Amino acid sequence: MGLRKAGGNWVAGDSFFDREVEIEALIERVEDRIHTLVTAQRRMGKTSLVRELLRRLDETGDFETVFVDLEDCTTAADAVVEIAAAFRDIRGLWTRVMNWAGKVSAGTMDRIDELGVSELRVKLRAGIDAGRWRAQGDALFASLAASEKPMVLAIDELPILVNRLLKGHDYKITPQRRRDTDEFLSWLRKNAQVHRERIRLVVSGSVGLEPILEQAELSAHANVFAPFELRPWDEETAVACLGELATSYGLQVPERVRTGMFRRLRCGIPHHVQQFFDKLHEHLRRNDRREASVDDIDTVYSQDMLGVRGQVYLEHYQSRLRMVLGDDGYVVALELLTQAAVSGGRLTDDSIQQYDAYRSVLSGESGGQVGDVLHVLEHDGYLVRREGGYEFVSGLVEDWWRARNARGFVLFGDRQA
Ligand SMILES: Nc1ncnc2c1ncn2[C@@H]1O[C@H](COP(=O)(O)OP(=O)(O)O)[C@@H](O)[C@H]1O
Ligand SMILES: [Mg+2]
């Protein structure tokens, strides 16, 4: 069979390529009772890495493994419910969770097994109130910690929830929201520390947790997690991945062509590598061919990777930026990235200074915002610091940004994105 195409969502098993070193490192951490925070820009393969880690741990049978996604949560109580609900398909532990739920909701938990997941959430949610989620959440962790095997609890998209707690729907940090965020993170940190012997957390998310916490001066809460930075594939790995995909789908993509593909992307973000292969595959199929040439690369890159679909991906990147930065910061980010895109991919310190001065005049504030935004852009993998300025990390993202700009993008008409 060989390596299979990804199809958009996270991958594991026979669609999962490479990352052996990372998997090994994470297994070691789990064994050493270390809580991990997996960071990387979006589409780098964090969720896939964690899913594959859990799959391999399951094969050994030494740990209970659970995966929780907090993407749709808006409150701390939601998160407690989501964690509890994630145990539904885990024999043995589900009984404990039901016992816990029985106490939480004073006996309304009979016939819970017959409920669908969404009904189950509603029912659990009804039993957890805003005032008591903390104690109820502690009790949940305590009952999970009593499980026979040690547990690996993977929590995906934690930064999205934290960002929501902190900024609400209008992207503004208020004292109340800051307190709520502080309370949630203290709760998680305390449980991570208390149950270290029995439960190891592997936290990940597609927006960086650190820049968000820095905005609220809550960085200390991240200390309980050892950071783990997931890097893009290097040229050799990306080229090998393209080779395996080509073989699996019966295509001939000579090494010269695969290297050309990588050089176009410049940065081996696995999702982009997969996209490029998929577009090339479609292109060859349309032309009823099985062998790719260097010319195909140019065509597929400019027509498919940078085309309308590319703009859709770019919008996804943009909405994440807006979520983290809020409306004002988002505008700053757009202007900085556009400036970089139209200046040959480079943002010089001089132009940053000028722009910063212009922003302070505009907002009447003493500045600093441009620096904060740059920090997020660097952390989230858009820009990298190079002598005397910043450059785009990814050739594809740079080209997307340039294409978008060439299409006559109107800055202030974009706010409904
Ligand atoms: N190890 C991998 N092997 C093959 N493809 C991968 C791998 N990791 C990521 N990808 C590709 O990247 C896409 C995004 O992966 P995902 O795990 O959802 O990233 P993240 O969680 O960092 O946003 C997948 O759909 C797949 O195309
Ligand atoms: Mg993910």
Side-chain angles (χ1 to χ4, degrees), residues 46-48 156-157 205-206:
K46 297 174 297 294
T47 303
S48 303
D156 205 10
E157 303 297 7
S206 60

Side-chain angles (χ1 to χ4, degrees), residues 3-13 15-19 38 40-52 156-157 204-206 230 233 241 245 269-275 316 320:
L3 184 65
R4 306 311 291 171
K5 290 202 283 194
N9 212 338
W10 55 272
V11 293
S15 303
F16 189 86
F17 185 74
D18 184 61
R19 301 298 195 199
V38 179
Q41 73 173 100
R42 68 221 72 244
R43 299 312 201 170
M44 197 64 82
K46 297 174 297 294
T47 303
S48 303
L49 179 69
V50 172
R51 290 281 192 173
E52 179 67 10
D156 205 10
E157 303 297 7
S204 51
S206 60
L230 186 60
W233 283 332
C241 178
L245 286 168
I269 296 169
H271 182 63
H272 297 167
V273 174
Q274 293 266 11
Q275 281 290 313
H316 181 75
R320 288 287 159 116

Side-chain angles (χ1 to χ4, degrees), residues 54-118:
L54 299 191
R55 198 186 66 81
R56 300 220 189 153
L57 288 172
D58 284 343
E59 279 177 356
T60 70
D62 295 338
F63 295 93
E64 296 287 356
T65 70
V66 186
F67 187 94
V68 188
D69 187 345
L70 300 186
E71 165 120 48
D72 296 327
C73 296
T74 38
T75 65
D78 290 344
V80 174
V81 168
E82 208 52 49
I83 294 173
F87 286 85
R88 210 173 99 103
D89 298 321
I90 300 180
R91 258 184 310 126
L93 285 175
W94 183 233
T95 330
R96 285 177 192 284
V97 174
M98 280 199 296
N99 284 338
W100 166 82
K103 282 178 208 138
V104 164
S105 57
T108 58
M109 282 290 131
D110 44 315
R111 302 187 34 228
I112 193 169
D113 272 337
E114 295 161 28
L115 297 178
V117 180
S118 52

Side-chain angles (χ1 to χ4, degrees), residues 266-281:
R266 208 159 70 210
C267 173
I269 296 169
H271 182 63
H272 297 167
V273 174
Q274 293 266 11
Q275 281 290 313
F276 210 165
F277 176 79
D278 189 45
K279 299 288 176 231
L280 177 65
H281 192 182

Side-chain angles (χ1 to χ4, degrees), residues 282-295:
E282 282 175 17
H283 169 78
L284 292 175
R285 193 180 270 146
R286 274 197 303 272
N287 292 284
D288 201 19
R289 285 195 280 128
R290 304 221 134 254
E291 180 164 354
S293 70
V294 175
D295 287 345

Side-chain angles (χ1 to χ4, degrees), residues 133-297:
W133 70 265
R134 233 190 130 112
Q136 289 167 328
D138 286 345
L140 176 64
F141 262 101
S143 68
L144 296 175
S147 93
E148 256 164 64
K149 291 181 195 171
M151 178 183 310
V152 178
L153 176 58
I155 305 184
D156 205 10
E157 303 297 7
L158 178 76
I160 291 193
L161 170 61
V162 170
N163 194 60
R164 256 185 219 135
L165 286 175
L166 189 59
K167 300 174 190 167
H169 48 84
D170 54 358
Y171 307 115
K172 295 224 159 57
I173 301 178
T174 64
Q176 180 61 47
R177 287 174 181 162
R178 192 181 171 280
R179 274 195 299 279
D180 290 347
T181 312
D182 192 15
E183 193 183 12
F184 174 68
L185 287 169
S186 317
W187 168 77
L188 189 64
R189 172 153 79 156
K190 188 193 79 181
N191 279 288
Q193 280 163 343
V194 169
H195 300 297
R196 198 182 284 274
E197 284 300 312
R198 307 300 303 162
I199 302 177
R200 290 99 210 230
L201 301 181
V202 181
V203 171
S204 51
S206 60
V207 296
L209 187 59
E210 293 100 326
I212 298 172
L213 295 185
E214 273 167 34
Q215 289 165 4
E217 292 172 18
L218 290 171
S219 299
H221 287 309
N223 291 349
V224 70
F225 302 109
F228 184 88
E229 197 195 330
L230 186 60
R231 300 240 161 80
W233 283 332
D234 60 14
E235 177 166 333
E236 193 188 333
T237 311
V239 167
C241 178
L242 291 167
E244 286 212 14
L245 286 168
T247 309
S248 299
Y249 289 88
L251 304 180
Q252 271 163 15
V253 187
E255 178 156 357
R256 203 160 40 91
V257 176
R258 287 183 271 133
T259 309
M261 292 169 81
F262 176 81
R263 302 235 160 117
R264 272 297 171 102
L265 299 174
R266 208 159 70 210
C267 173
I269 296 169
H271 182 63
H272 297 167
V273 174
Q274 293 266 11
Q275 281 290 313
F276 210 165
F277 176 79
D278 189 45
K279 299 288 176 231
L280 177 65
H281 192 182
E282 282 175 17
H283 169 78
L284 292 175
R285 193 180 270 146
R286 274 197 303 272
N287 292 284
D288 201 19
R289 285 195 280 128
R290 304 221 134 254
E291 180 164 354
S293 70
V294 175
D295 287 345
D296 291 323
I297 297 312

